[in-house]
């Protein structure tokens, strides 16, 4: 059995969530994470003004990824097919108090053993750079790496 960390970044539109970035990292193989940046197929112009403002805020102040940026199309069935073989492993999500992120991850991977990882130390060292491109401390890759390092340090 292996231990993993998962982190996601999302956009939203009219109460629907769109996964923008996904990182899955094995604590015993942190040099080879699975990292996706998905592009949105829904045109920016089709969003409500409130959704555009909310997502623009996320881009500017949180995850730094643009609506049309990305190289992969999000395919929930494809992800499920790829990860079902790890259903006996343990997957940690570093989540906020409200549990919103872990609930979203569980909806993507309903068969995985997913639990919250409580971590007080969340500072991301400046020398850690996302393989996609530098886009801030809230990058899914950086968050997974910090979680793995914290786990390994305290294991």
């Amino acid at each position: 059995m292996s231990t993993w960390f998962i982190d996601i970044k999302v956009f939203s539109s009219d109460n629907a969530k769109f996964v923008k970035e996904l990182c899955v990292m094995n604590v015993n193989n942190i040099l080879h994470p699975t990292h996706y940046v998905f592009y949105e197929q829904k045109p920016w112009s089709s969003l409500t003004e409130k959704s555009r403002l909310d997502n623009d805020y996320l881009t500017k102040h949180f995850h730094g990824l643009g609506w049309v940026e990305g190289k992969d199309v999000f395919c929930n069935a494809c992800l499920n097919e790829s990860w079902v073989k790890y259903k006996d492993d343990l997957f940690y999500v570093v989540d906020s108090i409200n549990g919103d992120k872990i609930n979203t991850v569980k909806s993507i991977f309903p068969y995985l053993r997913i639990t919250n990882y409580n971590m007080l130390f969340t500072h991301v060292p400046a020398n850690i750079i996302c393989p996609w491109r530098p886009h801030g401390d809230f990058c899914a890759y950086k968050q997974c790496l910090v979680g793995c390092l914290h786990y390994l340090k305290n294991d």
Side-chain angles (χ1 to χ4, degrees):
M1 182 177 86
S2 291
T3 302
W4 304 76
F5 275 81
I6 297 178
D7 196 64
I8 59 169
K9 303 302 170 216
V10 299
F11 278 128
S12 62
S13 172
D14 303 322
N15 297 324
K17 292 184 181 172
F18 302 98
V19 177
K20 184 63 185 177
E21 182 183 27
L22 168 69
C23 186
V24 185
M25 189 177 292
N26 186 322
V27 297
N28 295 313
N29 192 7
I30 62 175
L31 297 177
H32 296 96
T34 299
H35 182 249
Y36 304 98
V37 177
F38 301 105
Y39 66 86
E40 300 304 331
Q41 294 179 304
K42 185 174 184 174
W44 178 258
S45 61
S46 71
L47 299 177
T48 64
E49 183 177 349
K50 181 183 180 330
S51 290
R52 286 195 302 268
L53 288 171
D54 290 346
N55 292 316
D56 193 46
Y57 177 83
L58 290 173
T59 296
K60 290 179 181 173
H61 303 287
F62 191 63
H63 56 59
L65 295 168
W67 183 264
V68 297
E69 183 176 3
K71 65 177 182 168
D72 298 302
V73 175
F74 181 79
C75 173
N76 202 32
C78 303
L79 288 170
N80 283 313
E81 188 177 309
S82 297
W83 289 93
V84 72
K85 61 187 169 196
Y86 300 104
K87 66 181 182 199
D88 294 327
D89 291 357
L90 181 61
F91 290 81
Y92 283 116
V93 174
V94 178
D95 199 1
S96 59
I97 294 170
N98 68 8
D100 192 42
K101 185 186 293 185
I102 197 166
N103 290 334
T104 302
V105 172
K106 284 181 177 182
S107 72
I108 297 167
F109 302 106
Y111 48 83
L112 293 182
R113 295 176 47 210
I114 297 170
T115 190
N116 191 29
Y117 185 78
N118 295 316
M119 179 173 73
L120 297 175
F121 174 76
T122 57
H123 172 74
V124 179
N127 63 336
I128 297 175
I129 299 173
C130 176
W132 174 252
R133 70 165 177 79
H135 60 93
D137 286 345
F138 297 106
C139 160
Y141 169 80
K142 288 182 176 187
Q143 295 299 311
C144 277
L145 186 57
V146 168
C148 286
L149 295 175
H150 186 271
Y151 176 88
L152 291 168
K153 178 181 171 188
N154 293 301
D155 189 25

